[in-house]
């Protein structure tokens, strides 16, 4: 009898259990059960909390924060949090999952479970909070943080893409002044047409800088190297900076001096830059002449000497100028900027390089004529010659003829306006620094403007002379090589 009732009821029981399990697994009941279980478990342990704020008291970005965020976003448990942000990755079909604020992510390390929360305060600043069981704390905290460093380095190595940071106008309500975008400039050191020897010198200088940490430490000096790129508009200074950053795999912090209010603002910006970065100030000569903000010369000099950035290291500073004539000698005094590189206008050899890269020409029957015009003193910037070649690339002969015509007009303008041979052929106004500036705009300029230009844009006539890489710190080179 008992057996019969068991046989009759068991399918009902089995079905009932099966139904219950399905219900639990298909609904939020399982989630709720897990949550209760965790709460129960939590209440049985004593926890230790560690905070990792995004910024320190001096508004410098906390490197550990950046590393932990990258680490957490790489964990599969981020997907399990209630809210997560989805972004496209480096490739268009990549998806990156990013932890949302106030969400808990769990991780396991050396069999210990830890919890992370990304807390956002009312002021908008974010802090990561690590929760570890007290009994695990001593055993795992240090190795765990070390593990995060290692994983972060591996991720960075894999995905490192150079970023360009630009300083926005003052935004006191926000943490940090820099806005970053992926740096996708196509220029490399190789694609910039400058003397091959000079290129190699710069590359080996950068390489020896990268290996010189101990050397700088021994000297008690900030591990930094500074470069001055000087030359007329359109000679490849900005392109070269892009090439240097890619060569070093450094992020670029491009300081727009118009958005720097005073010395302390400049200091603040510098404190917010990271190690392994390139800090760039373009058109420094123009800024020093115009003095459009309250930044003082001594503020700039302190910056150059690495005084402000003494709390960080592994930084390369690059300044560009169109000319040195109007710049305070203090800026240029020996030892202040380590390497001076002159960017000259095109000569015949640079022209041939451009013809090769832009038109695929190694030789052409018009080359002798072009050479002759160069010898007579005419010259244009690589940007101007490159522009003509690009717009006539379907017909190399037409391109060369256009270059010849442009150079002849340039020569004629010099004669009319008595511009000396050594003066720059760049004939656009000082304000007009864009490469799109008209090649033939010389006629609209007055003699006074040309004199002004001569003062600013004077360059040496010989390319060899001009390519003067002035490695002032000879001892540095010898020791670090
Ligand atoms: N030496 C060069 N080799 C190859 N391309 C060059 C060179 N100089 C200029 N160009 C080309 O001309 C354009 C302008 O160059 P770039 O902006 O680097 O000049 P610049 O010296 O920074 O000028 P500016 O002083 O006006 O800022 C770029 O598209 C670049 O590719
Ligand atoms: Mg430039």
């Amino acid at each position: 009898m008992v057996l019969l009732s068991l046989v009759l009821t068991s399918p009902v029981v089995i079905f009932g259990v099966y139904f219950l399990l399905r219900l639990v697994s298909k609904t939020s009941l399982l989630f709720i059960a897990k949550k209760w279980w965790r709460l129960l478990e939590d209440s049985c342990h004593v926890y230790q909390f560690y905070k990792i704020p995004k910024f320190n008291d001096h508004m410098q970005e906390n490197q550990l924060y950046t590393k932990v965020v990258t680490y957490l976003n790489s964990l599969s448990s981020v997907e399990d949090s209630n809210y997560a942000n989805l972004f496209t990755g480096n490739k268009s079909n990549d998806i990156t999952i990013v932890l949302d604020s106030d969400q808990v992510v769990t991780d396991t390390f050396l069999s210990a479970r830890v919890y992370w929360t990304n807390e956002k305060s009312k002021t908008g600043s974010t802090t990561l909070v690590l929760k570890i069981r007290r009994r695990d704390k001593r055993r795992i905290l240090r190795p765990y943080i070390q593990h995060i460093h290692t994983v972060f380095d591996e991720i960075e190595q894999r995905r490192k893409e150079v970023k360009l940071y630009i300083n926005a106008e003052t935004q006191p309500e926000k943490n940090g002044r820099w806005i970053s975008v992926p740096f996708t400039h196509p220029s490399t050191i190789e694609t910039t047409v400058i003397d091959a020897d000079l290129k190699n010198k710069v590359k080996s200088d950068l390489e020896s800088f990268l290996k010189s940490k101990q050397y700088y430490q021994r000297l008690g000096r900030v591990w930094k190297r500074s470069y001055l790129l000087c030359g007329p508009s359109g000679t490849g200074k900005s392109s070269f900076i892009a090439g240097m950053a890619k060569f070093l795999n450094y992020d670029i912090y491009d300081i727009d001096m118009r958005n720097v209010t005073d010395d302390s603002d400049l200091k603040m910006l510098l404190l917010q830059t990271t190690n392994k970065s390139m800090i760039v100030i373009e058109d420094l000569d123009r800024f020093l002449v115009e003095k459009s903000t309250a930044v003082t010369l001594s503020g700039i000099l302190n910056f150059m000497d690495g005084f402000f950035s003494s709390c960080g290291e592994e930084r390369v500073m690059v300044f560009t100028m169109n000319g040195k004539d109007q710049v305070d000698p203090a800026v240029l005094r020996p030892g202040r900027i380590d390497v001076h590189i002159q960017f000259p206008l095109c000569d015949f050899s640079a022209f041939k390089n451009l013809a090769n890269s832009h038109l695929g020409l190694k030789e052409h029957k018009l080359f002798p004529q072009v050479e002759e015009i160069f010898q007579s003193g005419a010259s244009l910037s690589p940007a101007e010659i490159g522009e003509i070649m690009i717009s006539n690339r379907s017909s190399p002969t037409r391109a060369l003829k256009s270059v010849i015509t442009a150079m002849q007009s340039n020569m004629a303008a010099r004669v009319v306006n008595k511009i000396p041979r050594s003066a720059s052929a760049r004939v656009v106004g000082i304000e007009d620094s864009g490469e799109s500036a008209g090649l033939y705009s010389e006629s609209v300029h007055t003699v006074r403007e040309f004199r002004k230009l001569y003062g600013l844009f004077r360059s040496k006539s010989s390319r060899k002379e001009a390519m003067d890489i002035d490695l002032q710190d000879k001892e540095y080179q010898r020791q670090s090589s």
Side-chain angles (χ1 to χ4, degrees):
M1 192 60 195
V2 174
L3 198 69
L4 184 70
S5 66
L6 211 70
V7 167
L8 285 175
T9 54
S10 63
V12 177
V13 171
I14 290 169
F15 182 75
V17 169
Y18 172 76
F19 182 76
L20 197 71
L21 282 178
R22 271 199 70 92
L23 186 77
V24 165
S25 66
K26 292 282 173 193
T27 63
S28 56
L29 285 175
L30 188 64
F31 175 79
I32 292 167
K34 266 188 185 173
K35 200 173 153 189
W36 282 352
W37 174 249
R38 193 164 292 160
L39 281 175
L40 188 73
E41 213 183 14
D42 279 4
S43 60
C44 301
H45 291 279
V46 185
Y47 286 91
Q48 180 85 36
F49 295 85
Y50 296 92
K51 284 186 169 185
I52 304 178
K54 188 170 182 185
F55 292 98
N56 69 12
D57 293 344
H58 309 292
M59 288 308 289
Q60 284 172 293
E61 192 158 322
N62 181 356
Q63 292 297 302
L64 185 58
Y65 176 92
T66 317
K67 290 185 178 187
V68 176
V69 167
T70 307
Y71 170 76
L72 292 180
N73 290 337
S74 74
L75 296 178
S76 55
S77 50
V78 173
E79 292 176 39
D80 300 335
S81 62
N82 288 356
Y83 289 94
N85 300 295
L86 300 182
F87 293 97
T88 46
N90 287 348
K91 292 175 203 142
S92 57
N93 52 355
D94 267 4
I95 293 176
T96 319
I97 300 173
V98 177
L99 179 64
D100 202 18
S101 45
D102 298 324
Q103 294 299 305
V104 181
V105 171
T106 49
D107 189 17
T108 311
F109 182 74
L110 297 176
S111 328
R113 191 192 276 274
V114 300
Y115 305 84
W116 286 98
T117 320
N118 197 6
E119 285 182 357
K120 203 166 200 161
S121 75
K122 280 188 189 120
T123 56
S125 65
T126 42
T127 301
L128 285 164
V129 181
L130 169 65
K131 188 170 115 178
I132 304 181
R133 281 183 195 163
R134 242 185 211 174
R135 65 153 201 234
D136 293 329
K137 177 181 80 173
R138 291 208 190 288
R139 186 172 62 91
I140 69 151
L141 183 65
R142 284 178 192 282
Y144 182 52
I145 299 292
Q146 196 50 51
H147 164 72
I148 291 175
H149 279 293
T150 314
V151 174
F152 171 82
D153 288 345
E154 281 164 13
I155 295 171
E156 273 298 281
Q157 206 54 41
R158 279 201 304 270
R159 68 145 195 221
K160 173 86 181 164
E161 97 179 338
V162 177
K163 279 197 193 137
L164 170 67
Y165 289 83
I166 35 189
N167 57 310
E169 283 179 55
T170 325
Q171 290 169 304
E173 76 280 4
K174 286 206 173 169
N175 282 325
R177 291 273 312 281
W178 295 103
I179 295 172
S180 78
V181 288
F183 185 64
T184 52
H185 199 294
S187 282
T188 61
I189 291 187
E190 298 312 327
T191 58
T192 313
V193 176
I194 53 167
D195 182 76
D197 272 0
L198 177 72
K199 254 186 215 178
N200 291 335
K201 271 184 186 163
V202 175
K203 281 200 278 191
S204 61
D205 191 64
L206 290 171
E207 263 163 1
S208 66
F209 167 76
L210 288 176
K211 294 180 208 146
S212 306
K213 183 172 186 170
Q214 266 79 35
Y215 175 70
Y216 278 87
Q217 258 174 5
R218 212 172 52 238
L219 287 184
R221 289 179 65 160
V222 180
W223 186 18
K224 70 161 185 71
R225 190 96 176 131
S226 54
Y227 297 80
L228 172 65
L229 315 187
C230 185
S233 195
T235 47
K237 301 181 294 296
S238 301
S239 314
F240 198 71
I241 292 174
M244 286 169 84
K246 277 191 213 156
F247 184 82
L248 293 165
N249 218 13
Y250 277 14
D251 292 333
I252 299 180
Y253 286 86
D254 187 4
I255 302 184
D256 184 342
M257 291 303 288
R258 289 168 308 178
N259 290 341
V260 184
T261 46
D262 50 26
D263 291 352
S264 65
D265 194 29
L266 179 63
K267 190 174 177 176
M268 190 53 83
L269 277 171
L270 290 166
L271 288 172
Q272 290 173 11
T273 60
T274 52
N275 291 351
K276 288 181 183 290
S277 64
M278 183 182 262
I279 300 164
V280 177
I281 299 186
E282 290 240 48
D283 300 323
L284 183 61
D285 54 334
R286 195 195 297 182
F287 175 76
L288 291 172
V289 170
E290 288 173 2
K291 292 220 170 69
S292 48
T293 69
V295 177
T296 64
L297 179 65
S298 86
I300 300 260
L301 296 180
N302 278 335
F303 162 57
M304 287 178 158
D305 295 343
F307 179 68
F308 289 163
S309 52
S310 54
C311 38
E313 53 178 10
E314 219 178 338
R315 285 180 173 82
V316 167
M317 298 176 184
V318 187
F319 308 93
T320 72
M321 291 183 190
N322 283 140
K324 298 179 182 174
D325 296 5
Q326 301 195 5
V327 174
D328 193 304
V331 175
L332 303 167
R333 78 143 168 77
R336 178 143 275 146
I337 302 179
D338 301 309
V339 181
H340 292 219
I341 308 172
Q342 193 70 35
F343 281 71
L345 292 168
C346 252
D347 64 2
F348 182 58
S349 133
F351 161 82
K352 281 204 292 187
N353 275 329
L354 288 171
N356 188 16
S357 57
H358 287 61
L359 304 169
L361 288 181
K362 286 221 181 312
E363 267 310 323
H364 194 279
K365 61 179 189 304
L366 288 173
F367 275 12
Q369 196 182 339
V370 176
E371 186 170 17
E372 209 175 293
I373 305 176
F374 272 116
Q375 279 166 359
S376 70
S379 191
L380 297 175
S381 68
E384 288 161 328
I385 293 186
E387 212 175 286
I388 297 173
M389 288 176 171
I390 289 169
S391 48
N392 293 287
R393 63 184 178 281
S394 56
S395 162
T397 305
R398 194 175 65 223
L400 295 190
K401 281 183 180 164
S402 305
V403 170
I404 290 169
T405 315
M407 286 176 54
Q408 281 167 342
S409 317
N410 169 265
M411 214 33 219
R414 275 159 190 264
V415 173
V416 169
N417 294 291
K418 298 195 176 67
I419 302 289
R421 186 182 158 144
S422 59
S424 159
R426 182 75 181 175
V427 286
V428 293
I430 299 162
E431 293 302 318
D432 189 357
S433 62
E435 68 192 82
S436 57
L439 185 62
Y440 302 105
S441 60
E442 56 239 275
S443 54
V444 299
H445 291 278
T446 63
V447 174
R448 221 173 111 252
E449 279 178 292
F450 273 108
R451 287 214 180 109
K452 202 168 156 198
L453 277 168
Y454 174 52
L456 275 167
F457 292 164
R458 193 170 51 177
S459 73
K460 294 174 186 165
S461 55
S462 149
R463 180 179 175 81
K464 263 280 170 261
E465 273 173 57
M467 293 280 187
D468 128 56
I469 177 168
D470 183 13
L471 297 172
Q472 294 169 1
D473 190 352
K474 290 271 169 15
E475 196 198 358
Y476 154 82
Q477 262 205 322
R478 186 165 49 77
Q479 298 251 5
S480 56
S481 60

